[in-house]
Amino acid sequence: MTTEDLLLDTCLLAGRIMIEGGSEMYRVDDTMSRIAKNAGECSAMVFTTPTGIFAAVSSSPLVQLSPVLRRGIDMEKVARVNNLSRQFAAHELTLPELREELIKVDQHTPYFPFWLQVLAAGLCSTTLMVIFAQAYDWFDMPLAALAGAVGYWVYARVSRLTNVRFIAEAIGALCVGLASWAGVRLGIGHNLDNVIVGAVMPLVPGVAITNSIRDMLAGHLISGIARGMEAILSACAIGVGIAVIFRFL
């Protein structure tokens, strides 16, 4: 592998990891450009989209492409790539060492255990119910936590079983509605609206909406619009799942 190919491969790997982790596009551009500049290529050309990255350097006539097949939220990976980029800028890592470390980040980054994610979804549902209801409804808090945890568990499991986008959000929201409705009917909750509002929040694509606006403000109009539409469709899928409950139950 030539030096140019190694540099482009390293830049594309860093950019793909950041996009898959939920980073903003301008941050991806900046990181890839800085890696190229610190490697001696001051005129690197980078073009990023949510589904693919293009990169080229002036010393090579070729342009390399890296597809982005999945996107999620993993800020640990984004932070680690930024830290490795700073180490490379400080000459603490060579270019081959940087590539090896990025491969380790891509394959072996520790993540919170699934049971802890479900528990956090339940806690988040309870606190957000308090915020949106503007009252400490102690009677509905346990049901909101249970419904939020169930909905997130179903959403995560369905996401692993299918590659069809927005199906997981719809089914997860449907389970939130079912759990909330069943809890109210059984007497362990009394305000269905408050419970659903809190329990559905872990499914809402808040980071995607924020990154979409930040990308558009930074001038990345294509990425901003694409991410915004993705977030809107996710919100619509969640709304469909909840609407089914109110329509038929």
Side-chain angles (χ1 to χ4, degrees):
M1 183 181 293
T2 65
T3 303
E4 291 81 6
D5 289 339
L6 178 62
L7 174 58
L8 289 175
D9 185 68
T10 303
C11 291
L12 291 172
L13 178 59
R16 179 178 61 80
I17 294 172
M18 295 183 72
I19 293 176
E20 290 179 352
S23 176
E24 307 92 329
M25 289 300 170
Y26 71 85
R27 191 184 303 275
V28 177
D29 279 1
D30 182 68
T31 299
M32 295 176 64
S33 299
R34 286 179 184 273
I35 290 175
K37 182 178 180 180
N38 292 321
E41 290 286 349
C42 297
S43 58
M45 293 157 282
V46 176
F47 182 75
T48 58
T49 71
T51 55
I53 314 171
F54 299 85
V57 293
S58 58
S59 57
S60 174
L62 302 178
V63 177
Q64 289 195 18
L65 164 67
S66 177
V68 180
L69 302 178
R70 54 187 175 85
R71 294 178 299 279
I73 304 298
D74 191 344
M75 292 303 164
E76 178 70 18
K77 285 189 175 183
V78 176
R80 290 195 177 200
V81 172
N82 282 331
N83 186 48
L84 290 173
S85 175
R86 295 187 185 97
Q87 292 181 28
F88 181 63
H91 304 289
E92 298 176 6
L93 294 173
T94 63
L95 186 60
E97 290 174 343
L98 173 61
R99 182 175 180 274
E100 291 299 320
E101 291 298 321
L102 288 172
I103 292 175
K104 293 179 182 178
V105 170
D106 188 29
Q107 298 177 350
H108 305 294
T109 299
Y111 205 62
F112 291 110
F114 184 61
W115 67 266
L116 185 58
Q117 297 177 47
V118 174
L119 182 63
L123 179 61
C124 178
S125 300
T126 301
T127 53
L128 289 173
M129 189 200 73
V130 173
I131 292 175
F132 286 107
Q134 298 183 357
Y136 287 96
D137 193 346
W138 300 102
F139 188 74
D140 284 336
M141 284 184 180
L143 179 57
L146 176 62
V150 169
Y152 183 82
W153 184 87
V154 172
Y155 161 76
R157 292 301 182 186
V158 174
S159 296
R160 297 177 183 178
L161 295 175
T162 179
N163 292 324
V164 181
R165 299 301 307 274
F166 315 118
I167 295 296
E169 287 89 341
I171 296 177
L174 180 64
C175 291
V176 166
L178 282 173
S180 302
W181 175 82
V184 172
R185 291 296 299 269
L186 292 173
I188 59 176
H190 62 75
N191 193 318
L192 181 60
D193 292 341
N194 289 348
V195 173
I196 289 180
V197 166
V200 81
M201 291 309 294
L203 305 179
V204 174
V207 175
I209 295 172
T210 302
N211 286 349
S212 169
I213 296 174
R214 294 184 69 175
D215 281 341
M216 286 190 284
L217 292 177
H220 292 263
L221 299 181
I222 295 177
S223 300
I225 293 173
R227 281 187 165 179
M229 286 303 302
E230 186 177 29
I232 291 173
L233 291 174
S234 295
C236 290
I238 294 171
V240 168
I242 296 299
V244 169
I245 301 301
F246 285 101
R247 175 64 179 82
F248 296 105
L249 296 179

Coordinates of all heavy atoms in Angstrom, one line a residue, residues 197-244:
V197 N -46.4 9.9 26.9 CA -45.5 11.0 26.5 C -44.1 10.7 27.1 O -43.1 10.9 26.5 CB -46.0 12.3 27.0 CG1 -45.0 13.4 27.0 CG2 -47.2 12.8 26.2
G198 N -44.0 10.3 28.4 CA -42.7 10.0 29.0 C -42.1 8.7 28.4 O -40.9 8.7 28.1
A199 N -42.9 7.7 28.2 CA -42.3 6.4 27.9 C -41.8 6.4 26.4 O -40.9 5.6 26.1 CB -43.4 5.3 28.1
V200 N -42.4 7.2 25.6 CA -42.0 7.2 24.1 C -40.7 8.0 23.9 O -40.1 7.8 22.8 CB -43.1 7.7 23.3 CG1 -43.2 9.2 23.2 CG2 -43.0 7.1 21.9
M201 N -40.3 8.8 24.8 CA -39.2 9.7 24.6 C -37.8 9.0 24.3 O -37.1 9.5 23.5 CB -39.0 10.7 25.7 CG -40.1 11.7 25.9 SD -40.5 12.6 24.3 CE -38.9 13.5 24.1
P202 N -37.5 7.9 24.9 CA -36.2 7.2 24.5 C -36.2 6.8 23.0 O -35.1 6.6 22.5 CB -36.2 6.0 25.4 CG -37.0 6.3 26.6 CD -38.1 7.2 26.0
L203 N -37.3 6.7 22.3 CA -37.3 6.4 20.9 C -37.2 7.6 20.0 O -36.9 7.4 18.8 CB -38.6 5.6 20.6 CG -38.9 4.4 21.4 CD1 -40.2 3.7 20.9 CD2 -37.8 3.3 21.3
V204 N -37.4 8.8 20.5 CA -37.4 10.0 19.7 C -36.0 10.3 19.2 O -35.1 10.3 20.0 CB -38.0 11.2 20.5 CG1 -37.9 12.5 19.7 CG2 -39.5 10.9 20.9
P205 N -35.8 10.6 17.9 CA -34.5 10.8 17.4 C -34.0 12.3 17.7 O -33.8 13.1 16.7 CB -34.7 10.6 15.9 CG -36.1 11.0 15.6 CD -36.9 10.6 16.9
G206 N -33.8 12.6 18.9 CA -33.4 13.9 19.3 C -32.0 14.3 18.7 O -31.8 15.4 18.3
V207 N -31.0 13.4 18.8 CA -29.7 13.7 18.3 C -29.7 13.9 16.8 O -29.0 14.8 16.3 CB -28.7 12.5 18.7 CG1 -27.4 12.8 18.1 CG2 -28.6 12.4 20.2
A208 N -30.5 13.1 16.1 CA -30.5 13.3 14.6 C -31.1 14.6 14.3 O -30.6 15.3 13.3 CB -31.4 12.1 14.0
I209 N -32.1 15.0 15.0 CA -32.7 16.4 14.7 C -31.7 17.5 15.0 O -31.6 18.4 14.2 CB -34.0 16.5 15.5 CG1 -35.1 15.5 15.1 CG2 -34.5 18.0 15.4 CD1 -36.3 15.5 16.0
T210 N -31.0 17.4 16.1 CA -30.1 18.4 16.5 C -28.9 18.5 15.4 O -28.5 19.5 15.0 CB -29.5 18.1 17.9 OG1 -30.6 18.1 18.8 CG2 -28.5 19.2 18.3
N211 N -28.4 17.3 15.1 CA -27.3 17.2 14.1 C -27.7 17.7 12.7 O -26.9 18.4 12.0 CB -26.8 15.8 14.0 CG -25.9 15.4 15.2 OD1 -25.6 16.2 16.0 ND2 -25.6 14.1 15.3
S212 N -29.0 17.5 12.4 CA -29.5 18.0 11.1 C -29.5 19.5 11.0 O -29.0 20.1 10.1 CB -30.9 17.5 10.9 OG -31.5 18.1 9.8
I213 N -29.9 20.1 12.1 CA -29.9 21.6 12.2 C -28.5 22.1 12.2 O -28.2 23.1 11.5 CB -30.7 22.1 13.4 CG1 -32.2 21.7 13.3 CG2 -30.6 23.6 13.5 CD1 -33.0 21.9 14.5
R214 N -27.6 21.5 12.9 CA -26.2 22.0 13.0 C -25.5 21.8 11.7 O -24.7 22.7 11.3 CB -25.5 21.2 14.1 CG -26.0 21.5 15.5 CD -25.2 20.8 16.6 NE -23.9 21.4 16.7 CZ -23.0 21.0 17.6 NH1 -23.3 20.0 18.5 NH2 -21.8 21.5 17.6
D215 N -25.8 20.7 11.0 CA -25.2 20.6 9.6 C -25.7 21.6 8.7 O -24.9 22.2 7.9 CB -25.6 19.2 9.1 CG -24.7 18.1 9.7 OD1 -23.6 18.4 10.2 OD2 -25.1 16.9 9.6
M216 N -27.0 21.9 8.7 CA -27.5 23.0 7.8 C -26.9 24.3 8.1 O -26.6 25.1 7.2 CB -29.0 23.0 7.8 CG -29.6 21.8 7.1 SD -31.4 21.9 6.8 CE -32.0 21.5 8.5
L217 N -26.8 24.6 9.4 CA -26.2 25.9 9.8 C -24.7 26.0 9.4 O -24.2 27.1 9.2 CB -26.3 26.1 11.3 CG -27.8 26.3 11.8 CD1 -27.8 26.4 13.3 CD2 -28.4 27.6 11.2
A218 N -24.0 24.8 9.4 CA -22.6 24.8 9.0 C -22.4 24.8 7.5 O -21.3 24.7 7.0 CB -21.9 23.6 9.6
G219 N -23.5 24.7 6.7 CA -23.4 24.8 5.2 C -23.5 23.4 4.6 O -23.5 23.3 3.4
H220 N -23.7 22.3 5.4 CA -23.8 21.0 4.8 C -25.3 20.7 4.5 O -25.9 20.0 5.2 CB -23.2 19.9 5.7 CG -21.7 20.0 5.9 ND1 -20.9 19.2 5.2 CD2 -21.0 20.8 6.7 CE1 -19.6 19.5 5.5 NE2 -19.6 20.5 6.4
L221 N -25.8 21.3 3.4 CA -27.2 21.3 3.2 C -27.7 19.9 2.8 O -28.8 19.5 3.3 CB -27.5 22.3 2.1 CG -27.2 23.7 2.4 CD1 -27.6 24.6 1.2 CD2 -27.9 24.2 3.6
I222 N -26.9 19.2 2.0 CA -27.4 17.8 1.6 C -27.5 16.9 2.8 O -28.5 16.2 3.0 CB -26.4 17.2 0.6 CG1 -26.5 18.1 -0.7 CG2 -26.8 15.8 0.3 CD1 -25.5 17.6 -1.8
S223 N -26.4 16.9 3.6 CA -26.4 16.1 4.8 C -27.5 16.5 5.8 O -28.2 15.7 6.4 CB -25.0 16.1 5.5 OG -24.0 15.6 4.6
G224 N -27.6 17.8 6.0 CA -28.6 18.3 6.9 C -30.0 17.9 6.5 O -30.8 17.5 7.4
I225 N -30.4 18.1 5.2 CA -31.7 17.8 4.8 C -31.9 16.2 4.9 O -33.0 15.8 5.3 CB -31.9 18.3 3.3 CG1 -31.9 19.8 3.3 CG2 -33.2 17.7 2.8 CD1 -31.9 20.4 1.9
A226 N -30.9 15.5 4.5 CA -31.1 14.0 4.5 C -31.3 13.5 6.0 O -32.2 12.7 6.2 CB -29.8 13.3 3.9
R227 N -30.5 14.0 6.9 CA -30.7 13.6 8.3 C -32.0 14.1 8.8 O -32.7 13.5 9.7 CB -29.5 14.2 9.1 CG -28.3 13.3 9.0 CD -27.2 13.7 10.0 NE -26.2 12.7 10.1 CZ -25.1 12.9 10.9 NH1 -25.0 14.0 11.6 NH2 -24.2 11.9 10.9
G228 N -32.4 15.3 8.4 CA -33.7 15.9 8.9 C -34.8 15.0 8.4 O -35.8 14.7 9.2
M229 N -34.8 14.6 7.1 CA -35.9 13.7 6.6 C -35.9 12.4 7.4 O -36.9 11.8 7.7 CB -35.7 13.5 5.1 CG -36.1 14.7 4.3 SD -37.8 15.2 4.6 CE -38.7 13.7 4.2
E230 N -34.7 11.8 7.6 CA -34.6 10.6 8.4 C -35.2 10.7 9.8 O -36.0 9.8 10.2 CB -33.1 10.2 8.5 CG -32.9 8.8 9.1 CD -31.5 8.4 9.1 OE1 -30.6 9.3 9.2 OE2 -31.2 7.2 9.0
A231 N -34.9 11.8 10.4 CA -35.5 12.1 11.7 C -37.0 12.2 11.7 O -37.8 11.7 12.5 CB -34.9 13.3 12.4
I232 N -37.5 12.9 10.7 CA -39.0 13.1 10.5 C -39.7 11.8 10.3 O -40.7 11.5 10.8 CB -39.2 14.1 9.4 CG1 -38.8 15.5 9.8 CG2 -40.7 14.1 9.0 CD1 -38.8 16.5 8.6
L233 N -39.1 11.0 9.4 CA -39.7 9.7 9.1 C -39.7 8.8 10.4 O -40.6 8.0 10.6 CB -39.0 9.0 8.0 CG -39.1 9.6 6.6 CD1 -38.3 8.9 5.6 CD2 -40.6 9.5 6.2
S234 N -38.6 8.9 11.2 CA -38.6 8.1 12.5 C -39.7 8.6 13.4 O -40.4 7.8 14.0 CB -37.2 8.3 13.1 OG -36.2 7.7 12.4
A235 N -39.9 9.9 13.5 CA -40.9 10.5 14.3 C -42.3 10.1 13.8 O -43.2 9.8 14.6 CB -40.8 12.0 14.4
C236 N -42.5 10.0 12.5 CA -43.8 9.6 11.9 C -44.0 8.1 12.3 O -45.2 7.8 12.6 CB -43.8 9.8 10.4 SG -43.8 11.5 9.9
A237 N -43.0 7.3 12.2 CA -43.2 5.9 12.5 C -43.6 5.7 14.0 O -44.4 4.9 14.3 CB -41.9 5.1 12.3
I238 N -43.0 6.5 14.9 CA -43.3 6.5 16.3 C -44.8 6.9 16.5 O -45.6 6.3 17.2 CB -42.4 7.4 17.1 CG1 -41.0 6.8 17.1 CG2 -42.9 7.5 18.5 CD1 -39.9 7.7 17.7
G239 N -45.2 8.0 15.7 CA -46.5 8.5 15.8 C -47.5 7.5 15.3 O -48.6 7.3 15.9
V240 N -47.2 6.7 14.3 CA -48.1 5.7 13.8 C -48.3 4.6 14.8 O -49.4 4.1 15.1 CB -47.5 5.1 12.5 CG1 -48.3 3.8 12.1 CG2 -47.6 6.1 11.3
G241 N -47.2 4.2 15.5 CA -47.3 3.1 16.5 C -48.2 3.6 17.7 O -49.1 2.8 18.2
I242 N -48.1 4.8 18.1 CA -49.0 5.3 19.2 C -50.4 5.5 18.7 O -51.4 5.3 19.4 CB -48.4 6.6 19.7 CG1 -47.0 6.4 20.4 CG2 -49.3 7.3 20.8 CD1 -47.0 5.4 21.5
A243 N -50.6 6.0 17.5 CA -51.9 6.3 16.9 C -52.7 5.0 16.8 O -54.0 5.1 17.0 CB -51.8 6.9 15.6
V244 N -52.1 3.9 16.6 CA -52.8 2.6 16.5 C -53.5 2.3 17.8 O -54.6 1.8 17.9 CB -51.9 1.5 16.1 CG1 -52.5 0.1 16.2 CG2 -51.4 1.7 14.6

